[in-house]
Each structure stands twice: as C-alpha cells, then as structure tokens.
Amino acid sequence: GVFSLVFWALLLVVCLKYLAVVLRADNGGEGGTLALLARLDDPERARSAGPSRLALLALFGAALLYGDGIITPAISVLSAVEGLEVAAPSLSPFVVPITVVILLLLFRFQRYGTAGVASVFGPTMGVFFLCIGALGAAQLFGRDGALLPLLQAVDPRHALFALTHQGLQSFSVLGSLVLVVTGVEALYADLGHFGRAPIRRAWYAVVYPALLLNYAGQASLVLERGTVGPHPFFDLAPDFLLLPLVGLSTAATVIASQALISGVFSLTEQASQLGYVPRFRVVHTSAEARGQIYLPQVNTALACACIAVVLGFRSSDALAAAYGVAVTGTMAVTSVLFFVFARRRSGWSLLG
C-alpha cells in the first residue's frame, strides 16, 4: 500500500502536474511562483497601489521556497552522512561536523555557476542513479516472488486502502510521502537554469526509472523482513558496498542541494525585478544561458542559515517536519497560482 502511494505520487505530482502542466507556465524562460506572479500581475500597478492578494500569496510561497532552500541542503547532506552510523556506529559523533564541512564546500563552489559545477556534478549524478536503480533491481529480481507484490501496487486501490485503514498512522505515512516529491518546486524554480526539454529528458530517461526501482526494492526488502529498519535505503547494499554508497549518496545530496540554491538565486532576481526586494549584486556565470546566475550576498546568507539549522537540529529526523511544511506550503501556493493562470491566461474551463 505504501509503495502504491509512492508510485502514484511520482506519477501524478511529478509527471502529470509539474512536467506536463506547470512547466508550461514560464515567464521569459524563468519558472517559480514569482514567474507565475509576473504573468498574472502588473508590476507597475503593484508599485503604485501596493501588492495584490495574488502577490501576497506568491511572496508567501517564495518565502517558503527560501525556507526550503535552507532546509534542503541541511537535511539532504545530514541524512546521507548519517549513513556512517550504519557502516560504523563509532563515527556517530562526527556526523554533524562532517555535514558542516561539506555544506561550507558546497556554498563555496556556487561562484563557479551551474555550468561550471555541472561538469563534475552531472557524471556523479548519473553514477548515483544507475547505482540506486541497480540496488533496487537486485533486490527485486534476485529473489523469487519479490516482483509480483510490487507490480500489484500499481492498482491505486492499495494506496487508498493504506490511507483509509490505518487510522491516525495514515497522517504519518502522508508526511513521509511528501519526501518522495520534494524536488518538484526546485525543478520548476530552476527552469531558467536548465530549460524545459532537458529537465523532462533527464527525468524520464534516468531519474524516474531509477527512483521507481529503488523504492520498489526498499518495499520488497521490508516485505521480506517483516519490519522497517532505520535506513532501508542503505540496507539494500551488501556490506562491502556500504561505505562507497554512503560516499556516493553524500555527493548526490550535495548536488541535489545545488538545485535548490540555484532556484533561490533565480527567485531573488525575479523578486528584485518585480520591486519586492532590494537590488543584489548578480553575477552571470554563463555566456550562453541568461538564467544561470550567482548572487554572492544571498549565497552567504543561505550558507549561514543552513549551518545554523544543522547545529540546531542535529539530525535529519528532527528536521523532517519543518521540511514538510516548507515543501507542501510552496506546492500549495504554486497550485493556486497556476489555477488562476490557467483560467485567466490560458483560457482553460473550470474543469480543465
């Protein structure tokens, strides 16, 4: 039932809602809540008459995305480094210091821009997705009868059953399910950095198959053992691959955090152009792509906030609730703004 929820969340939220629909609503190639606002609201009118209700909603969503940009690098890197506790429990006291050092290096690299870091980050992410897909496939196809129950999960009735027959526990399940689709707002906000077509190609060719295989492998492992361990992702790996997987996962989470940071840069520039925040120094890091920018002041502020969050919460579990609020809030704001955009600008009927 839980895997059925994961399957349908990825299909409906990422594939259908964002990739097929929301990515169409760009403003000169830029995405995010403020790009939607720019298509709906007149900036000159806003300067003279004050922000409209739509503008206030978009700014609230932007604020939540800033929170997401702070929490995502912190929780992503922290959760990956926590894999050291699985491989070597004696290293537990070093998890937070290692996380802080990695975050400092991550923000230090931002000055090289999206294109500059892509030469290193792109191949690393390719290896990561191939690896997690292979681990899931090994669990699924390496054991007799492991695949059939997961194929049955495609039936949405299993997802509905998991939500309607678990009582209050279903709320906890939904809270965890949010973590499956947390990257969609960064995907939309980063539209100006990468473009619509490359985002869709990367998702369907690499990311989506690898995620489905890995989540299916984790679900199969839980069904096989009859219990949920603290780190089912790392439990997929044999002992001799555990430390390399921790290292690769840490690198991948650093790179995934890059997407949120780039999104915050784009959001800040849009807010500045709309007159909602002061002007910041903008460094264009690519001669070909106008949307690839670096904002030194914003980068420094994000770095300080991320490190403060890690030192304050000290574990990914403690951060998860705040993370969910930021992500679901931003997604809700995007949904409302896109609904208005579809009705006003695209001429969609009320039924779509």
Side-chain angles (χ1 to χ4, degrees):
V2 173
F3 177 69
S4 184
L5 284 168
V6 170
F7 175 85
W8 285 102
L10 288 172
L11 182 64
L12 295 178
V13 177
V14 185
C15 298
L16 180 62
K17 177 184 174 182
Y18 278 85
L19 288 181
V21 179
V22 174
L23 285 190
R24 299 181 187 180
D26 67 294
N27 181 41
E30 296 288 345
T33 55
L34 293 183
L36 270 173
L37 176 64
R39 297 289 301 273
L40 292 169
D41 221 6
D42 181 7
E44 295 302 325
R45 188 213 61 80
R47 291 189 183 98
S48 59
S52 65
R53 284 178 294 180
L54 280 178
L56 292 173
L57 181 63
L59 291 172
F60 176 65
L64 287 173
L65 190 65
Y66 273 95
D68 200 4
I70 292 169
I71 299 171
T72 294
I75 193 173
S76 300
V77 177
L78 193 53
S79 63
V81 178
E82 283 171 349
L84 288 173
E85 297 175 327
V86 179
S90 60
L91 296 176
S92 180
F94 300 100
V95 167
V96 171
I98 291 173
T99 300
V100 170
V101 171
I102 291 172
L103 287 172
L104 285 172
L105 292 174
L106 169 64
F107 285 100
R108 178 75 175 174
F109 270 103
Q110 295 308 309
R111 65 179 62 193
Y112 299 108
T114 304
V117 298
S119 59
V120 177
F121 286 179
T124 304
M125 288 306 292
V127 172
F128 173 75
F129 282 116
L130 288 173
C131 180
I132 67 171
L135 288 174
Q139 170 65 31
L140 282 175
F141 300 108
R143 291 167 173 80
D144 293 337
L147 184 60
L148 183 60
L150 279 305
L151 290 176
Q152 294 171 346
V154 174
D155 185 344
R157 289 177 296 180
H158 292 289
L160 293 174
F161 185 88
L163 290 179
T164 56
H165 290 73
Q166 301 296 325
L168 292 176
Q169 190 177 2
S170 61
F171 286 98
S172 175
V173 171
L174 282 175
S176 300
L177 188 67
V178 170
L179 300 177
V180 176
V181 294
T182 49
V184 288
E185 279 298 326
L187 178 148
Y188 182 37
D190 274 332
L191 188 58
H193 281 257
F194 301 104
R196 189 181 295 110
I199 288 173
R200 286 174 174 164
R201 283 197 300 266
W203 171 258
Y204 286 115
V206 181
V207 181
Y208 189 38
L211 287 178
L212 279 180
L213 282 171
N214 191 264
Y215 282 126
Q218 291 185 52
S220 172
L221 187 67
V222 171
L223 287 172
E224 178 186 297
R225 294 183 177 181
T227 183
V228 180
H231 299 285
F233 172 77
F234 290 109
D235 289 341
L236 284 175
D239 291 341
F240 70 94
L241 284 179
L242 194 52
L243 279 176
L245 182 61
V246 171
L248 184 60
S249 300
T250 303
T253 54
V254 168
I255 298 166
S257 301
Q258 169 73 32
L260 255 299
I261 297 167
S262 300
V264 169
F265 291 161
S266 296
L267 199 67
T268 305
E269 186 190 33
Q270 292 174 48
S272 180
Q273 291 172 346
L274 292 170
Y276 292 118
V277 298
R279 292 282 181 180
F280 289 94
R281 179 182 168 222
V282 178
V283 179
H284 290 271
T285 59
S286 172
E288 292 81 23
R290 186 184 66 84
Q292 294 186 12
I293 57 174
Y294 165 65
L295 280 67
Q297 295 161 298
V298 176
N299 188 62
T300 300
L302 280 178
C304 294
C306 277
I307 291 169
V309 163
V310 170
L311 294 176
F313 285 86
R314 306 189 71 82
S315 77
S316 58
D317 287 341
L319 266 170
Y323 188 45
V325 170
V327 171
T328 53
T330 311
M331 291 171 67
V333 169
T334 298
S335 298
V336 173
L337 291 174
F338 184 82
F339 175 80
V340 177
F341 170 81
R343 294 279 287 148
R344 288 186 185 177
R345 300 295 186 186
S346 299
W348 289 16
S349 68
L350 190 60
L351 296 177

